[in-house]
Amino acid sequence: LRKLLAIKGKKTAVELHRELGQVMWNDVGMARSRESLERAVRKIRELRGEFWSNVNVPGTDADLNTALERANRVADFMEFGELLALD
């Protein structure tokens, strides 16, 4: 959690979550192909790299912090999305 709070990037977890959703919808959805799945894996890996270097999570871990909770979930979604594309 402290790692997420220390990044101080420019994008919110919501923005990155939306980008991941677009990749999943366009490339991993019902009309998928080998090429679209490979493209999705590349995009998700790029997004994960951007997430861990450019996410901005305001607040602290001392109290209830919904932005921190969301960022933690989005980090999990990135891994799950890649797993779905690989499987």
Side-chain angles (χ1 to χ4, degrees):
L1 298 178
R2 291 199 173 129
K3 182 178 178 182
L4 284 170
L5 290 167
I7 296 172
K8 303 294 184 209
K10 297 196 184 297
K11 284 192 172 180
T12 65
V14 172
E15 291 173 297
L16 292 162
H17 188 206
R18 284 189 187 125
E19 290 180 38
L20 176 63
Q22 282 298 118
V23 171
M24 297 302 291
W25 182 265
N26 293 332
D27 296 328
V28 187
M30 300 251 318
R32 60 186 174 264
S33 65
R34 177 183 217 76
E35 294 80 24
S36 72
L37 292 171
E38 290 169 352
R39 184 174 50 246
V41 169
R42 284 192 307 275
K43 288 180 183 177
I44 293 168
R45 287 178 180 166
E46 289 172 11
L47 267 176
R48 187 182 311 133
E50 182 178 7
F51 177 86
W52 287 108
S53 65
N54 198 28
V55 72
N56 183 8
V57 181
T60 67
D61 62 346
D63 295 320
L64 177 64
N65 185 341
T66 56
L68 180 58
E69 289 177 22
R70 181 183 302 259
N72 202 24
R73 271 186 262 129
V74 171
D76 289 342
F77 292 157
M78 298 259 181
E79 290 182 34
F80 185 60
E82 184 178 355
L83 179 66
L84 286 174
L86 287 171
D87 195 31

